[in-house]
PDB file of all heavy atoms in Angstrom:
ATOM      1  N   GLN B 123     138.531  99.902  88.026  1.00  0.00           N
ATOM      2  CA  GLN B 123     138.525  98.554  87.469  1.00  0.00           C
ATOM      3  C   GLN B 123     139.881  97.906  87.747  1.00  0.00           C
ATOM      4  O   GLN B 123     140.919  98.534  87.553  1.00  0.00           O
ATOM      5  CB  GLN B 123     138.310  98.624  85.960  1.00  0.00           C
ATOM      6  CG  GLN B 123     137.028  99.346  85.591  1.00  0.00           C
ATOM      7  CD  GLN B 123     136.253  98.625  84.501  1.00  0.00           C
ATOM      8  OE1 GLN B 123     136.659  97.537  84.082  1.00  0.00           O
ATOM      9  NE2 GLN B 123     135.150  99.201  84.085  1.00  0.00           N
ATOM     10  N   ASN B 155     133.057  86.971  81.865  1.00  0.00           N
ATOM     11  CA  ASN B 155     132.837  88.415  81.682  1.00  0.00           C
ATOM     12  C   ASN B 155     131.727  89.001  82.553  1.00  0.00           C
ATOM     13  O   ASN B 155     131.164  90.035  82.216  1.00  0.00           O
ATOM     14  CB  ASN B 155     132.539  88.747  80.217  1.00  0.00           C
ATOM     15  CG  ASN B 155     133.738  88.455  79.336  1.00  0.00           C
ATOM     16  OD1 ASN B 155     134.867  88.819  79.698  1.00  0.00           O
ATOM     17  ND2 ASN B 155     133.518  87.760  78.234  1.00  0.00           N
ATOM     18  N   ALA B 156     131.397  88.321  83.652  1.00  0.00           N
ATOM     19  CA  ALA B 156     130.457  88.929  84.609  1.00  0.00           C
ATOM     20  C   ALA B 156     131.200  90.062  85.309  1.00  0.00           C
ATOM     21  O   ALA B 156     132.401  89.984  85.556  1.00  0.00           O
ATOM     22  CB  ALA B 156     129.986  87.895  85.619  1.00  0.00           C
ATOM     23  N   LYS B 157     130.448  91.124  85.591  1.00  0.00           N
ATOM     24  CA  LYS B 157     131.047  92.285  86.276  1.00  0.00           C
ATOM     25  C   LYS B 157     130.776  92.148  87.767  1.00  0.00           C
ATOM     26  O   LYS B 157     129.616  91.961  88.183  1.00  0.00           O
ATOM     27  CB  LYS B 157     130.410  93.551  85.714  1.00  0.00           C
ATOM     28  CG  LYS B 157     130.904  94.865  86.298  1.00  0.00           C
ATOM     29  CD  LYS B 157     130.158  96.014  85.578  1.00  0.00           C
ATOM     30  CE  LYS B 157     130.407  97.356  86.241  1.00  0.00           C
ATOM     31  NZ  LYS B 157     129.478  98.377  85.692  1.00  0.00           N
ATOM     32  N   LEU B 158     131.837  92.222  88.591  1.00  0.00           N
ATOM     33  CA  LEU B 158     131.678  92.123  90.047  1.00  0.00           C
ATOM     34  C   LEU B 158     132.137  93.433  90.674  1.00  0.00           C
ATOM     35  O   LEU B 158     133.317  93.782  90.597  1.00  0.00           O
ATOM     36  CB  LEU B 158     132.525  90.971  90.612  1.00  0.00           C
ATOM     37  CG  LEU B 158     132.160  89.566  90.144  1.00  0.00           C
ATOM     38  CD1 LEU B 158     133.158  89.085  89.086  1.00  0.00           C
ATOM     39  CD2 LEU B 158     132.093  88.591  91.319  1.00  0.00           C
ATOM     40  N   GLU B 159     131.197  94.153  91.257  1.00  0.00           N
ATOM     41  CA  GLU B 159     131.554  95.375  91.980  1.00  0.00           C
ATOM     42  C   GLU B 159     131.569  95.026  93.465  1.00  0.00           C
ATOM     43  O   GLU B 159     130.632  94.417  93.976  1.00  0.00           O
ATOM     44  CB  GLU B 159     130.532  96.473  91.706  1.00  0.00           C
ATOM     45  CG  GLU B 159     130.471  96.852  90.229  1.00  0.00           C
ATOM     46  CD  GLU B 159     129.343  97.841  89.933  1.00  0.00           C
ATOM     47  OE1 GLU B 159     129.562  99.056  90.054  1.00  0.00           O
ATOM     48  OE2 GLU B 159     128.228  97.373  89.597  1.00  0.00           O
ATOM     49  N   VAL B 185     136.143  97.091  90.803  1.00  0.00           N
ATOM     50  CA  VAL B 185     135.323  96.354  89.847  1.00  0.00           C
ATOM     51  C   VAL B 185     136.190  95.273  89.210  1.00  0.00           C
ATOM     52  O   VAL B 185     137.289  95.565  88.736  1.00  0.00           O
ATOM     53  CB  VAL B 185     134.770  97.300  88.750  1.00  0.00           C
ATOM     54  CG1 VAL B 185     133.868  96.536  87.788  1.00  0.00           C
ATOM     55  CG2 VAL B 185     134.023  98.475  89.376  1.00  0.00           C
ATOM     56  N   PHE B 186     135.720  94.021  89.220  1.00  0.00           N
ATOM     57  CA  PHE B 186     136.441  92.886  88.651  1.00  0.00           C
ATOM     58  C   PHE B 186     135.583  92.220  87.574  1.00  0.00           C
ATOM     59  O   PHE B 186     134.370  92.446  87.511  1.00  0.00           O
ATOM     60  CB  PHE B 186     136.807  91.878  89.755  1.00  0.00           C
ATOM     61  CG  PHE B 186     137.775  92.466  90.759  1.00  0.00           C
ATOM     62  CD1 PHE B 186     137.302  93.202  91.855  1.00  0.00           C
ATOM     63  CD2 PHE B 186     139.137  92.325  90.590  1.00  0.00           C
ATOM     64  CE1 PHE B 186     138.176  93.770  92.760  1.00  0.00           C
ATOM     65  CE2 PHE B 186     140.033  92.895  91.493  1.00  0.00           C
ATOM     66  CZ  PHE B 186     139.547  93.624  92.582  1.00  0.00           C
ATOM     67  N   THR B 187     136.235  91.420  86.753  1.00  0.00           N
ATOM     68  CA  THR B 187     135.532  90.737  85.665  1.00  0.00           C
ATOM     69  C   THR B 187     135.873  89.253  85.724  1.00  0.00           C
ATOM     70  O   THR B 187     137.060  88.895  85.832  1.00  0.00           O
ATOM     71  CB  THR B 187     135.978  91.315  84.300  1.00  0.00           C
ATOM     72  OG1 THR B 187     135.825  92.735  84.332  1.00  0.00           O
ATOM     73  CG2 THR B 187     135.141  90.751  83.162  1.00  0.00           C
ATOM     74  N   SER B 188     134.842  88.413  85.657  1.00  0.00           N
ATOM     75  CA  SER B 188     135.121  86.974  85.716  1.00  0.00           C
ATOM     76  C   SER B 188     135.809  86.530  84.427  1.00  0.00           C
ATOM     77  O   SER B 188     135.558  87.072  83.353  1.00  0.00           O
ATOM     78  CB  SER B 188     133.815  86.182  85.936  1.00  0.00           C
ATOM     79  OG  SER B 188     132.952  86.351  84.827  1.00  0.00           O
ATOM     80  N   ILE B 232     127.837  93.728  93.849  1.00  0.00           N
ATOM     81  CA  ILE B 232     126.832  93.719  92.783  1.00  0.00           C
ATOM     82  C   ILE B 232     127.435  92.905  91.655  1.00  0.00           C
ATOM     83  O   ILE B 232     128.546  93.204  91.193  1.00  0.00           O
ATOM     84  CB  ILE B 232     126.491  95.129  92.267  1.00  0.00           C
ATOM     85  CG1 ILE B 232     125.923  96.000  93.391  1.00  0.00           C
ATOM     86  CG2 ILE B 232     125.487  95.043  91.105  1.00  0.00           C
ATOM     87  CD1 ILE B 232     125.564  97.412  92.945  1.00  0.00           C
ATOM     88  N   VAL B 233     126.723  91.874  91.242  1.00  0.00           N
ATOM     89  CA  VAL B 233     127.220  91.013  90.161  1.00  0.00           C
ATOM     90  C   VAL B 233     126.233  91.089  89.000  1.00  0.00           C
ATOM     91  O   VAL B 233     125.036  90.834  89.180  1.00  0.00           O
ATOM     92  CB  VAL B 233     127.386  89.555  90.630  1.00  0.00           C
ATOM     93  CG1 VAL B 233     127.999  88.710  89.518  1.00  0.00           C
ATOM     94  CG2 VAL B 233     128.249  89.495  91.888  1.00  0.00           C
ATOM     95  N   THR B 234     126.734  91.477  87.836  1.00  0.00           N
ATOM     96  CA  THR B 234     125.870  91.632  86.667  1.00  0.00           C
ATOM     97  C   THR B 234     126.459  90.910  85.466  1.00  0.00           C
ATOM     98  O   THR B 234     127.685  90.851  85.300  1.00  0.00           O
ATOM     99  CB  THR B 234     125.692  93.126  86.303  1.00  0.00           C
ATOM    100  OG1 THR B 234     126.974  93.770  86.344  1.00  0.00           O
ATOM    101  CG2 THR B 234     124.765  93.835  87.265  1.00  0.00           C
ATOM    102  N   ALA B 235     125.579  90.378  84.662  1.00  0.00           N
ATOM    103  CA  ALA B 235     125.989  89.743  83.402  1.00  0.00           C
ATOM    104  C   ALA B 235     124.772  89.774  82.479  1.00  0.00           C
ATOM    105  O   ALA B 235     123.647  89.563  82.939  1.00  0.00           O
ATOM    106  CB  ALA B 235     126.433  88.302  83.644  1.00  0.00           C
TER     107      ALA B 235
END
Side-chain angles (χ1 to χ4, degrees):
Chain B
Q123 303 224 4
N155 295 315
K157 180 179 171 191
L158 297 103
E159 298 174 87
V185 182
F186 296 86
T187 307
S188 64
I232 299 180
V233 184
T234 45

